Amino acid sequence: MATTTLDVTPLPETREEVEAIGKLLGANLQSDIILGQAVSKANVESSPLERFKIINFATHGVLANEVSGFAEPAVLLAAPTEIKSANDGVLTSTEIAQLKLDADLVILSACNTAGSDGTPRAEGLSGLANSFFYSGAKSIVVTQWEIPSKPAVEKKWLK
């Protein structure tokens, strides 16, 4: 993948979103939730994700070809201090398909996560969603559009 500089807006409210959802689902906030810089590509790819029944990514989603250098859909993780091709902070649909999951539910709280894989006339859900299914997810919550992150934590059900 070519080195591409992204102007990524920080999403500080996602911490509250993930913690509130974790609390609702009975997660141990100390050991079951990974936040901020700890959500690096290296950590995601090396973590024993198969032990989690619910996985929630609250981050930026990128459609295929939406940004120069991104030929396939991806989720953006914590930016590394030094960008290397193997740890670029971008988890592509191909890399997601190689994860080992046994999750009953994967939540992709990011823009456009129900988008296609980018091939001409491809169907929705053929990109990120399909990759998570391939990696072992049994069900997925995705979005078909851009979503603002602030309202996600302003809803009364999260309080």
Side-chain angles (χ1 to χ4, degrees):
M1 173 179 203
T3 303
T4 304
T5 303
L6 294 175
D7 182 20
V8 179
T9 305
L11 301 170
E13 57 277 352
T14 59
R15 173 180 292 276
E16 184 180 350
E17 175 187 346
V18 170
E19 287 177 343
I21 291 170
K23 194 173 181 182
L24 282 171
L25 297 173
N28 180 322
L29 298 183
Q30 303 304 316
S31 63
D32 293 338
I33 295 180
I34 302 167
L35 299 165
Q37 287 303 116
V39 188
S40 68
K41 183 174 179 178
N43 284 348
V44 168
E45 291 180 327
S46 66
S47 292
L49 296 175
E50 67 276 1
R51 75 179 185 97
F52 294 103
K53 291 300 178 185
I54 299 173
I55 297 173
N56 181 5
F57 285 96
T59 186
H60 288 285
V62 178
L63 290 168
N65 301 310
E66 179 180 17
V67 177
S68 176
F70 290 86
E72 59 183 311
V75 291
L76 304 183
L77 304 175
T81 53
E82 182 182 345
I83 295 179
K84 298 178 182 176
S85 61
N87 187 26
D88 56 8
V90 178
L91 194 61
T92 67
S93 59
T94 298
E95 293 163 333
I96 291 164
Q98 295 172 15
L99 297 174
K100 302 290 185 234
L101 304 180
D102 188 28
D104 293 330
L105 175 64
V106 172
I107 303 166
L108 298 178
S109 182
C111 295
N112 301 310
T113 54
S116 75
D117 65 3
T119 57
R121 295 187 301 271
E123 294 184 18
L125 300 176
S126 64
L128 292 174
N130 191 47
S131 295
F132 275 100
F133 283 131
Y134 188 82
S135 69
K138 295 172 185 74
S139 59
I140 300 172
V141 175
V142 292
T143 60
Q144 189 64 43
W145 50 83
E146 291 184 11
I147 55 170
S149 62
K150 230 177 197 164
V153 295
E154 293 173 354
K155 300 293 182 191
K156 293 183 180 181
W157 63 273
L158 284 178
K159 304 279 184 201

